[in-house]
Amino acid sequence: MATSLLKNTTLVLKRFNFCDQVLLLQNVRTAYTIRHRGLPPELAKSWKQIKQELSFCKEKEVLAVNIGFPLQDGTKMTRTEMRKRKQEKEEHSKRNEAELERKARLQELVVPISVAQAEGFQGVGQRRIHRLADHYGLFRDLFGEAYFYPSLDLRVGYVDGADPEFIQPVYHGNQLPPAETQSAPEVVYKGDADKFYTLCMVAPDSHLEQNNKEYLHWMVANIPGTSVSEGQVLCDYMPVFPVHGTGNHRYAFVLYQHDNVIDLSAEKRHQERPNLSERTFETLEFYRRHQDAITPVGLCFFQAEWDPSVRKTFHSVL
């Protein structure tokens, strides 16, 4: 009895699936019939032709390209190595658990954040920055179908005018008020002394006339090693100015590495007073013009929304 019931249930499910397939086929057929109805003979297609195209013509796949250096984080290990490392971590945590608990209870536990950040950048940190940049659509809006994993830990921070000892850091998507970004920020990274670097600050959301364009807020080219102050300032720093009622705007710092000094004189902007038409910029086109020489190696970005200081920027700066 149970076997017979099971067979009947299976038969019913098959009939339901068959009916669903027939209904779907009829809906697609009807949609294409309506779409091609009334077309001239040279454009109209039979259902057989359309079905054949759907069966054999695959949608063009867009493959993203890594334009940065290969990611070498040392995460590829055999299962034995992974098991051994996990066991070592567990044993280490057991040995230190009591001591760490005592220090935390007595408020004597000190965590060196600089060491933790330095150790956490390679591999895990690189993937995290890449994931955040992709989440915020920066690769899409700046480099099209390209992306990169940052190979240098780019640190950018705005000095507080009221308290020079305090710095507002730029992470990867944090919010900063425009009032605190009026002057050029401090830039720190651990680069190669034998290499040269070019730093660009761009705004992909702030263009007032063309949605697919950016504004160039800052460009320092041919930086020898890590001496940002010795680079060529091709574009003076321009404060951010997100328009009222348009929500958060993204502002990205991209650091490029190159082996030798390159000619970027064509990117030079007038320094006396910012000209928005002249500041129109396209990161993708800039990269294409110099892709044989430069490689993106650093990235950080923040978001900003209108505040009263933007009014001052429009009247006094622009």
Side-chain angles (χ1 to χ4, degrees):
M1 182 68 179
T3 305
S4 177
L5 182 60
L6 181 61
K7 289 183 178 180
N8 292 335
T9 304
T10 305
L11 181 60
V12 171
L13 288 176
K14 287 183 178 180
R15 289 179 178 176
F16 270 115
N17 291 335
F18 176 76
C19 293
D20 290 340
Q21 292 176 3
V22 172
L23 182 60
L24 177 61
L25 190 63
Q26 289 178 348
N27 290 338
V28 174
R29 187 194 304 246
T30 303
Y32 272 91
T33 301
I34 296 174
R35 180 178 177 182
H36 293 276
R37 183 181 297 162
L39 294 177
E42 61 273 11
L43 296 179
K45 298 180 181 179
S46 65
W47 168 245
K48 184 177 180 180
Q49 292 173 326
I50 295 171
K51 185 178 179 181
Q52 187 175 8
E53 290 180 0
L54 290 175
S55 301
F56 296 99
C57 296
K58 296 183 179 180
E59 183 179 358
K60 183 180 179 181
E61 295 183 357
V62 180
L63 300 178
V65 179
N66 184 4
I67 58 176
F69 291 115
L71 181 64
Q72 298 178 354
D73 55 359
T75 56
K76 294 182 178 180
M77 298 183 293
T78 62
R79 291 186 177 181
T80 304
E81 292 174 338
M82 293 176 65
R83 193 181 302 110
K84 183 179 179 181
R85 176 168 294 188
K86 182 179 179 181
Q87 185 178 0
E88 290 176 353
K89 287 183 178 180
E90 291 178 352
E91 292 177 356
H92 181 73
S93 62
K94 288 180 180 178
R95 288 197 303 267
N96 295 339
E97 185 175 355
E99 181 64 17
L100 290 176
E101 190 276 333
R102 187 188 67 83
K103 288 185 176 181
R105 179 165 35 83
L106 298 176
Q107 297 184 357
E108 297 176 354
L109 182 62
V110 178
V111 180
I113 187 64
S114 58
V115 176
Q117 290 177 341
E119 293 177 350
F121 175 74
Q122 294 294 334
V124 176
Q126 292 173 282
R127 294 181 185 278
R128 178 180 59 84
I129 296 173
H130 172 271
R131 186 166 59 251
L132 287 171
D134 184 63
H135 172 76
Y136 281 95
L138 278 180
F139 293 133
R140 177 197 63 211
D141 295 337
L142 296 183
F143 295 99
E145 298 300 334
Y147 68 92
F148 67 94
Y149 289 94
S151 54
L152 293 181
D153 189 7
L154 178 63
R155 302 290 184 86
V156 178
Y158 286 91
V159 179
D160 192 338
D163 184 5
E165 297 296 327
F166 184 74
I167 293 181
Q168 288 281 8
V170 176
Y171 294 118
H172 307 96
N174 60 311
Q175 291 188 334
L176 294 178
E180 298 179 0
T181 62
Q182 295 298 303
S183 302
E186 299 290 332
V187 179
V188 178
Y189 56 89
K190 294 182 180 180
D192 191 337
D194 299 328
K195 303 292 183 181
F196 293 87
Y197 299 88
T198 294
L199 178 69
C200 296
M201 176 186 175
V202 296
D205 304 319
S206 300
H207 205 284
L208 301 177
E209 296 178 339
Q210 304 178 65
N211 292 334
N212 60 337
K213 302 288 185 180
E214 309 155 30
Y215 280 133
L216 180 63
H217 281 260
W218 195 29
M219 178 181 284
V220 184
N222 296 313
I223 301 171
T226 59
S227 303
V228 180
S229 60
E230 298 180 13
Q232 303 171 1
V233 181
L234 299 181
C235 181
D236 276 342
Y237 181 80
M238 179 175 63
V240 303
F241 52 92
V243 178
H244 189 277
T246 57
N248 285 317
H249 291 213
R250 297 165 298 171
Y251 299 91
F253 295 87
V254 184
L255 185 68
Y256 302 90
Q257 178 179 300
H258 38 101
D259 296 331
N260 304 298
V261 174
I262 56 178
D263 183 14
L264 294 175
S265 56
E267 309 297 337
K268 188 175 180 62
R269 267 65 173 176
H270 292 301
Q271 311 291 15
E272 295 81 9
R273 191 178 184 88
N275 185 311
L276 290 183
S277 298
E278 191 181 29
R279 294 277 183 140
T280 298
F281 190 75
E282 284 188 84
T283 297
L284 180 58
E285 292 303 320
F286 170 77
Y287 173 75
R288 284 174 174 171
R289 288 194 297 270
H290 308 286
Q291 62 181 340
D292 293 336
I294 65 175
T295 303
V297 293
L299 175 68
C300 63
F301 57 96
F302 69 96
Q303 301 180 87
E305 192 175 10
W306 184 92
D307 69 7
S309 69
V310 176
R311 185 181 297 110
K312 179 182 177 182
T313 301
F314 272 106
H315 286 283
S316 304
V317 180
L318 300 179

